[in-house]
Amino acid sequence: MQDDVRPIGVFDSGLGGLTVARAIASGLPHESITYLGDTKRCPYGPRDQSEVRRFVAQVGAWLNGRDVKAVVIACNTATAAALDLLQVALPVPVIGVVEPGARAAVRATRTRRVGVLATQGTVRSGSYEAAIHALDAGVRVFSHPAPRFVELVEGLLIGGEHLHEDWMANPEIFDTPPIRNIAREETEALADMGIDTVVLGCTHFPLLARPIRAVLGDDVRIVSSAEETCRELRESLEYRGDLAPDDQVPDYRFATTSDDITSFAVAGNFIFGHALESIERVDLDRVEPLPDYRNTDAGA
Ligand code: DGL
């Protein structure tokens, strides 16, 4: 289909995926976006994979009902747990953030020693190791969980602290002494590994890039998946002839599972860089989940 006006579906466990939605809005300015943050059940990181798969099956069904032309899983934990589920169950292309993050890291490293900061779920899954080694089996990968970062970011955002017109453009806002202390505790294990690149393997972490840099030092390159994911999305849409028309004014719609729509709107505005004008509350327990082929196969 040419000039496809349908939106891109994007989701995360909460607000962090808006860092990816922002990159999509900037790199593909004519594309409409429908974003869902499963804020009520955030964080996904400490949960086991089968639970995250169940959540993703619900989110995928909801997005499918919104007639999206592609889905971006803007959450590393959900990508690690259930990219395959959505790719099998949905009739549209599904792009995760782990492979793009791995590509960015492999491209950036010179010493071929790469750190990964991610949630426990992503680290446990070994997805980054697999994705990086699929590109270059010679890269040494040092993965480290930073579980407190997700709660820190969601808490700072929803708590309404540090309100500013644009958090992503002003990363120093989150570079305070208490946050640096947490960053030190969460990342110093990587400081002695001789890495020259660290991939932020959680879409919440770009907001903490400054304090992470303060711990790891200026010589360590910090990469994340947002821009690379957008590039992959563009290629996929182009290849299929599914790009939006050049004169399309994008329509951005948001949904959250949280009861507190106002906090989601306020915080989201400062990450996405545009006002979140259209927000609805969604009850995913009312949605019939997509089938998980793994369960079907097991039951067959
Ligand atoms: N933003 C999600 C990710 O990229 C994780 C946050 C969570 O633990 O829910 O992994």
Side-chain angles (χ1 to χ4, degrees):
M1 190 190 307
Q2 291 295 326
D3 289 350
D4 192 332
V5 299
R6 291 177 299 165
I8 312 291
V10 182
F11 76 91
D12 178 42
S13 60
L15 290 157
L18 287 169
T19 59
V20 178
R22 179 184 179 125
I24 295 171
S26 142
L28 291 164
H30 304 295
E31 298 296 339
S32 294
I33 295 173
T34 296
Y35 181 93
L36 173 70
D38 192 5
T39 318
K40 192 168 193 171
R41 302 189 291 199
C42 185
Y44 280 7
R47 300 176 188 271
D48 68 40
Q49 284 219 346
S50 57
E51 187 172 32
V52 176
R53 277 179 88 83
R54 193 159 53 73
F55 294 169
V56 171
Q58 292 174 319
V59 176
W62 185 82
L63 286 172
N64 199 31
R66 295 298 156 125
D67 194 25
V68 295
K69 63 180 169 185
V71 168
V72 173
I73 309 182
C75 173
N76 292 265
T77 316
T79 300
L83 175 65
D84 60 328
L85 185 159
L86 286 195
Q87 287 181 332
V88 169
L90 287 177
V92 295
V94 180
I95 293 169
V97 279
V98 171
E99 275 183 34
R103 263 200 308 278
V106 169
R107 196 173 299 136
T109 186
R110 296 290 167 265
T111 61
R112 295 162 97 206
R113 294 175 76 87
V114 169
V116 178
L117 279 174
T119 65
Q120 306 99 303
T122 302
V123 169
R124 263 199 315 266
S125 74
S127 299
Y128 266 97
E129 282 82 352
I132 289 173
H133 288 151
L135 296 165
D136 181 350
V139 174
R140 294 282 305 277
V141 184
F142 303 88
S143 295
H144 186 68
R148 288 169 70 200
F149 279 169
V150 175
E151 283 168 39
L152 177 68
V153 167
E154 289 279 327
L156 288 169
L157 304 183
I158 290 293
E161 279 180 66
H162 306 287
L163 284 185
H164 193 279
E165 62 187 43
D166 192 336
W167 285 333
M168 295 295 287
N170 299 278
E172 70 281 358
I173 292 165
F174 292 123
D175 193 8
T176 62
I179 295 176
R180 271 199 193 193
N181 281 339
I182 296 175
R184 182 160 302 107
E185 287 163 19
E186 293 291 274
T187 59
E188 68 188 349
L190 284 181
D192 298 327
M193 299 298 173
I195 56 171
D196 74 339
T197 301
V198 66
V199 53
L200 303 183
C202 172
T203 54
H204 283 69
F205 295 0
L207 288 156
L208 300 175
R210 278 279 185 101
I212 292 170
R213 180 180 304 287
V215 178
L216 296 179
D218 288 338
D219 294 342
V220 174
R221 297 185 71 177
I222 297 183
V223 299
S224 61
S225 47
E227 275 75 30
E228 189 67 22
T229 302
C230 178
R231 207 175 61 77
E232 186 172 331
L233 174 64
R234 177 206 304 280
E235 269 173 21
S236 165
L237 294 173
E238 245 165 22
Y239 184 75
R240 297 165 59 93
D242 283 352
L243 283 166
D246 284 350
D247 58 355
Q248 173 159 284
V249 178
D251 180 26
Y252 300 134
R253 290 172 189 260
F254 301 87
T256 173
T257 52
S258 166
D259 295 324
D260 184 359
I261 289 194
T262 308
S263 296
F264 187 84
V266 172
N269 182 6
F270 296 112
I271 305 176
F272 189 58
H274 298 262
L276 272 51
E277 275 156 9
S278 163
I279 305 191
E280 68 180 289
R281 187 180 178 285
V282 170
D283 182 356
L284 288 175
D285 286 327
R286 290 170 175 270
V287 176
E288 178 68 29
L290 295 170
D292 183 344
Y293 72 95
R294 280 196 197 165
N295 300 339
T296 315
D297 289 351

